[in-house]
Amino acid sequence: KYQKYLKSKDFKTLRDKVLERDNYRCRVCGRTLEEIADNKKLSLQAHHCSYENLGKCNNEEMNDIITLCSICHNAIHKAKSNLRRFTDKEAINKNLI
């Protein structure tokens, strides 16, 4: 269901608005669209910081999304998946994007 939503026209429109709002720049490392254009392994992606507003396609959902390059996006998801090892997941998770 989530993957289907990410492929929807509504989400793609929202994603484009997020990228434009963030000036086509990764909010973590600062890579720009121009800097990654020549590297087919890199891309700018939309990252949901929370899933509270998922599927609303409105300003609330847009405020939950940031632009990340694929390297930073993967690093954040790996860090979050590693949280399973810790008992105080909520406190640690609040400090991640």
Side-chain angles (χ1 to χ4, degrees), residues 37-48:
D38 294 332
N39 189 335
K40 293 183 181 189
K41 293 181 181 181
L42 291 176
S43 62
L44 289 180
Q45 303 173 351
H47 171 68
H48 281 90

Side-chain angles (χ1 to χ4, degrees), residues 1 4 11 33 39 58 66 77 85 90 94 96:
K1 191 174 179 178
K4 185 177 180 180
F11 179 75
L33 189 59
N39 189 335
N58 60 14
I66 61 171
H77 280 283
R85 295 184 292 150
E90 287 184 36
K94 286 180 185 177
L96 290 177

Side-chain angles (χ1 to χ4, degrees), residues 3-97:
Q3 292 301 321
K4 185 177 180 180
Y5 172 63
L6 293 183
K7 293 177 184 178
S8 73
K9 182 179 178 181
D10 288 339
F11 179 75
K12 288 179 181 181
T13 299
L14 184 63
R15 176 191 178 276
D16 290 343
K17 289 179 183 179
V18 169
L19 293 176
E20 184 177 350
R21 178 201 66 202
D22 293 341
N23 296 311
Y24 300 92
R25 179 179 297 273
C26 177
R27 298 268 301 268
V28 174
C29 72
R31 283 185 185 93
T32 64
L33 189 59
E34 292 81 22
E35 292 172 320
I36 65 173
D38 294 332
N39 189 335
K40 293 183 181 189
K41 293 181 181 181
L42 291 176
S43 62
L44 289 180
Q45 303 173 351
H47 171 68
H48 281 90
C49 297
S50 78
Y51 297 104
E52 293 174 28
N53 297 300
L54 184 69
K56 292 183 179 179
C57 286
N58 60 14
N59 285 337
E60 290 177 11
E61 183 175 9
M62 188 169 162
N63 291 335
D64 282 344
I65 301 173
I66 61 171
T67 301
L68 296 176
C69 72
S70 49
I71 292 172
C72 291
H73 198 186
N74 288 336
I76 286 171
H77 280 283
K78 285 180 184 177
K80 284 188 173 191
S81 69
N82 285 336
L83 291 176
R84 294 183 192 121
R85 295 184 292 150
F86 300 99
T87 56
D88 191 9
K89 294 178 198 173
E90 287 184 36
I92 296 169
N93 200 26
K94 286 180 185 177
N95 292 310
L96 290 177
I97 295 172

